């Protein structure tokens, strides 16, 4: 037909692995509009394709995750409304409003967390994440966070070690977000136990580290680099077991990089993982 051609196709490489390619061809014509030749190109787009698939999966997951708490909130609100109606009829019924309101609150918090993560993602993508730096006591901050987490999850056992006392100049909320992400992941990916070790220590003269160690499912060596990618989640038969969107570590990494710091992971499949971030002691 002489029309421009554009198609996505899978080609096999020497090893026999299929890789997505984008094939394009454009006809070159002479003065009489007769095709004399074709210019064509074939470009490997495997990485883009994988990213696209992850994005689609992410959207599916988000819609699903948004729907669950909203449905549950709706259910509890309807229940409370019908109980209140009955109360008006029979004045003295003892209505269990508090536990239902607590459940609604938990679900609303889940929604807020999800929405905030998505907003952060958009901010990073548009390079709009600003840091609000202040001087604060990192040990105290870690302590407060651990206290908050143990207050809401009574069954967890977080062992906190201070090997140094340090002040930093950093964005307190953002650093807190990274610590919370490390600890909640450590708990989430430890289905058999609830023990987590958190250590604050000095790294040379100029740096301070916070590490979070768990004794959970661990991560395969080949996956370690990838878990910092947007929307990346280690896929396995248990993928559906752990809820999440695969953006927490991506955000954490971006935050730490913006503080001129680094994240390290040490992990053994089936044994557990240790996530560490290091930031300069005196950022100005
Ligand atoms: P998610 O919301 O999926 O937990 P994250 O970005 O926080 O997203 O983590 C990305 C992936 O890294 C997780 O889906 C999980 O497969 C893996 N991961 C993160 N932390 C741990 C950990 N402590 N132990 C085992 N796997 C982990």
């Amino acid at each position: 037909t002489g029309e421009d051609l554009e198609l996505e196709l899978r080609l096999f490489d020497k090893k026999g692995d299929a890789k997505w390619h984008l094939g394009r061809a454009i006809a070159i014509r002479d003065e009489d509009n007769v095709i004399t030749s074709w210019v064509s190109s074939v470009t490997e787009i495997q990485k883009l394709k994988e990213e696209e698939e992850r994005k689609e999966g992410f959207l599916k997951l988000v819609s699903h995750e948004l729907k669950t708490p909203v449905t549950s909130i709706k259910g509890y609100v309807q229940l409370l409304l019908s109980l209140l109606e009955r109360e008006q009829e029979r004045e003295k019924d003892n209505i269990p409003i508090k536990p239902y309101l607590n459940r609604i609150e938990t679900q609303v918090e889940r929604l807020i967390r999800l929405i905030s993560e998505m907003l952060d993602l958009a901010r990073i993508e548009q390079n709009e994440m600003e840091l609000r730096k202040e001087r604060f006591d990192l040990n105290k901050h870690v302590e407060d966070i651990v206290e908050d987490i143990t207050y809401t999850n009574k069954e967890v056992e977080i062992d906190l070690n201070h090997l140094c006392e340090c002040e930093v100049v950093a964005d307190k909320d953002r650093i807190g977000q990274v610590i919370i992400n490390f600890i909640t992941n450590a708990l989430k990916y430890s289905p058999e136990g609830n023990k987590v070790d958190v250590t604050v220590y000095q790294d040379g003269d100029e740096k301070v580290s916070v590490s979070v160690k768990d004794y959970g499912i661990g991560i395969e060596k080949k996956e370690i680099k990838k878990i910092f990618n947007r929307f990346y989640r280690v896929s396995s038969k248990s993928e559906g077991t752990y809820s999440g969107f695969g953006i927490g570590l991506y955000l954490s990494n971006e935050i730490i990089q913006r503080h001129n710091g680094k994240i390290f992971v040490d992990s053994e499949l089936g044994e557990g993982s240790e996530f560490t971030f290091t930031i300069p002691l005196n950022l100005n």
Side-chain angles (χ1 to χ4, degrees):
T1 63
E3 276 172 37
D4 290 358
L5 173 80
E6 186 169 317
L7 89 162
E8 288 181 0
L9 65 163
R10 293 195 316 155
L11 299 177
F12 292 90
D13 66 10
K14 279 190 206 149
K15 282 189 258 157
D17 294 330
K19 297 252 163 70
W20 278 101
H21 285 70
L22 173 69
R24 303 179 68 194
I26 294 171
I28 306 291
R29 298 164 192 269
D30 65 12
E31 306 91 78
D32 305 320
N33 215 21
V34 173
I35 297 173
T36 54
S37 58
W38 286 85
V39 177
S40 75
S41 69
V42 177
T43 315
E44 198 208 290
I45 52 163
Q46 179 66 22
K47 274 222 169 93
L48 291 174
K49 232 21 206 182
E50 281 169 10
E51 176 85 346
E52 204 176 283
E53 271 164 26
R54 279 208 297 273
K55 223 173 198 166
E56 271 162 28
F58 170 74
L59 282 179
K60 247 193 250 161
L61 202 67
V62 167
S63 334
H64 177 76
E65 290 287 326
L66 281 173
K67 214 176 144 193
T68 318
V70 173
T71 314
S72 131
I73 291 168
K74 192 177 157 202
Y76 284 118
V77 170
Q78 282 173 338
L79 181 66
L80 285 174
L81 284 175
S82 70
L83 286 173
L84 280 175
E85 241 166 62
R86 257 206 286 155
E87 192 195 32
Q88 280 159 359
E89 287 162 21
R90 288 188 292 137
E91 285 286 307
K92 281 199 66 88
D93 250 353
N94 211 355
I95 297 178
I97 288 189
K98 201 158 173 242
Y100 293 134
L101 282 177
N102 281 340
R103 280 183 213 178
I104 291 175
E105 193 185 21
T106 314
Q107 298 292 357
V108 170
E109 273 163 8
R110 255 182 85 180
L111 281 174
I112 293 174
R113 218 169 34 234
L114 166 60
I115 295 165
S116 318
E117 280 197 350
M118 295 206 306
L119 280 176
D120 280 348
L121 198 67
R123 280 197 194 109
I124 284 180
E125 233 111 281
Q126 287 152 17
N127 219 354
E128 277 173 3
M129 191 171 71
E130 280 177 22
L131 298 183
R132 269 175 301 197
K133 287 184 184 168
E134 59 183 297
R135 183 176 291 276
F136 66 92
D137 183 334
L138 182 64
N139 300 78
K140 176 84 175 58
H141 196 34
V142 175
E143 230 169 79
D144 289 347
I145 290 170
V146 168
E147 209 171 276
D148 278 353
I149 294 177
T150 33
Y151 182 76
T152 42
N153 306 273
K154 292 278 185 285
E155 70 286 4
V156 306
E157 189 190 323
I158 304 178
D159 202 2
L160 179 58
N161 291 298
H162 293 297
L163 302 182
C164 75
E165 297 288 324
C166 17
E167 274 200 337
V168 289
V169 178
D171 188 320
K172 196 172 172 187
D173 288 342
R174 296 284 178 198
I175 293 293
Q177 200 179 331
V178 177
I179 301 167
I180 293 171
N181 181 224
F182 282 6
I183 299 180
T184 43
N185 273 352
L187 294 168
K188 181 161 74 178
Y189 297 104
S190 303
E192 314 253 307
N194 282 314
K195 193 174 141 40
V196 173
D197 302 331
V198 179
T199 313
V200 185
Y201 60 94
Q202 198 162 330
D203 188 347
D205 287 340
E206 292 166 357
K207 290 183 266 178
V208 57
S209 300
V210 176
S211 84
V212 176
K213 185 173 166 59
D214 66 59
Y215 303 86
I217 61 171
I219 308 161
E220 244 182 291
K221 287 272 172 297
K222 66 175 170 59
E223 302 281 0
I224 286 183
K225 256 186 146 168
K226 299 190 208 155
I227 56 174
F228 295 97
N229 289 344
R230 273 185 323 175
F231 317 134
Y232 192 85
R233 312 198 64 219
V234 176
S235 57
S236 69
K237 52 183 183 314
S238 56
E239 191 181 20
T241 319
Y242 308 99
S243 73
F245 313 105
I247 38 184
L249 283 179
Y250 171 74
L251 290 178
S252 296
N253 198 30
E254 292 288 327
I255 290 168
I256 295 302
Q257 273 180 13
R258 279 166 169 71
H259 281 88
N260 300 319
K262 276 205 166 120
I263 291 186
F264 304 92
V265 188
D266 186 19
S267 185
E268 205 62 59
L269 197 63
E271 307 262 312
S273 315
E274 181 168 15
F275 282 77
T276 306
F277 74 79
T278 298
I279 52 171
L281 260 177
N282 282 310
L283 288 170
N284 285 311

